[in-house]
Amino acid sequence: MIGALYEEALQGGAAVEIEHADGRRRPLPVRDWLALRPGDGGLLARCRGATLDVGSGPGRLTVALARRGLPVLGIDVAPRAVALTVAAGGPALCRDVFGRVPGTGRWRTVLLADGNIGIGGDPAALLRRVLALPAPGGRVLMEVEPPGAGSRTEPLRLRSDRSVGEWFPWAHVSADAVAGLAAACAATVTEQWEEAGRWFVALRP
């Protein structure tokens, strides 16, 4: 979801949609990322110690953790998202998770919320990278699709009435596929929970 259209949506510009390869469209859920929503509570409550929010977007989780007094950092590749996080009181940097990440090997909790395991379209590659970020004994908290939703990678693009973005790969991982994914990445699922229709898992390297 990188690019001018994503930045425009964050700025409250023209309505932006996600387009699938078969022509289906759905609104880009910007409002879900701007303020805490049902299901966030249990995720936030499970954050322990220094927390890294990967793909933090405009920073609702980063800001909420900062307000609770936890050491936290949001990273996102969109400059506008990072600026919104900082303006709201959350520490954030413009970083790619596959690049240099501050505090590598020292985080107690790493977040992949809002289906961000889909970033890059290769969940195994992303999970292996994310599992290298926590300190010994730390864990990864990840939001996934409901059981039975199916796991897949598909091309998506953003579009508005005035502009169309480039296609990019995005992955979907269902809750019933997480154990296999974790095993392939030398990780262990330690908890799975559902809240407000959203599904989450905790993993340890």
Side-chain angles (χ1 to χ4, degrees):
M1 296 183 184
I2 314 308
L5 281 169
Y6 176 51
E7 300 265 338
E8 182 179 342
L10 290 176
Q11 292 172 8
V16 175
E17 295 179 311
I18 301 172
E19 182 178 10
H20 298 258
D22 61 6
R24 287 179 296 118
R25 300 182 192 179
R26 55 189 171 91
L28 185 69
V30 175
R31 289 189 178 183
D32 287 348
W33 305 329
L34 292 173
L36 292 179
R37 62 192 183 103
D40 286 344
L43 185 63
L44 293 169
R46 287 170 171 82
C47 292
R48 300 285 188 271
T51 298
L52 179 70
D53 186 2
V54 176
S56 52
R60 77 181 191 283
L61 299 176
T62 301
V63 171
L65 289 169
R67 288 174 177 169
R68 294 181 180 204
L70 263 69
V72 61
L73 177 67
I75 60 170
D76 200 282
V77 296
R80 178 60 179 169
V82 170
L84 287 170
T85 303
V86 172
L93 294 173
C94 197
R95 292 286 190 278
D96 184 333
V97 67
F98 288 104
R100 180 180 174 278
V101 176
T104 294
R106 299 196 298 274
W107 299 104
R108 299 299 300 173
T109 306
V110 178
L111 293 179
L112 272 176
D114 300 323
N116 280 345
I117 185 61
I119 292 171
D122 187 340
L126 178 58
L127 185 56
R128 289 189 185 100
R129 171 57 180 149
V130 169
L131 287 166
L133 300 175
R139 61 180 183 168
V140 174
L141 303 181
M142 182 169 73
E143 183 171 357
V144 294
E145 302 280 344
S151 298
R152 65 198 184 281
T153 297
E154 62 172 334
L156 301 174
R157 66 180 177 184
L158 301 184
R159 68 182 301 144
S160 69
D161 290 341
R162 301 189 305 270
S163 180
V164 179
E166 298 292 329
W167 292 103
F168 59 89
W170 191 264
H172 305 267
V173 177
S174 65
D176 43 15
V178 170
L181 174 63
C185 298
T188 302
V189 177
T190 59
E191 184 182 9
Q192 184 176 98
W193 74 97
E194 180 270 335
E195 184 176 350
R198 297 165 62 193
W199 288 79
F200 306 88
V201 293
L203 305 97
R204 290 193 187 278

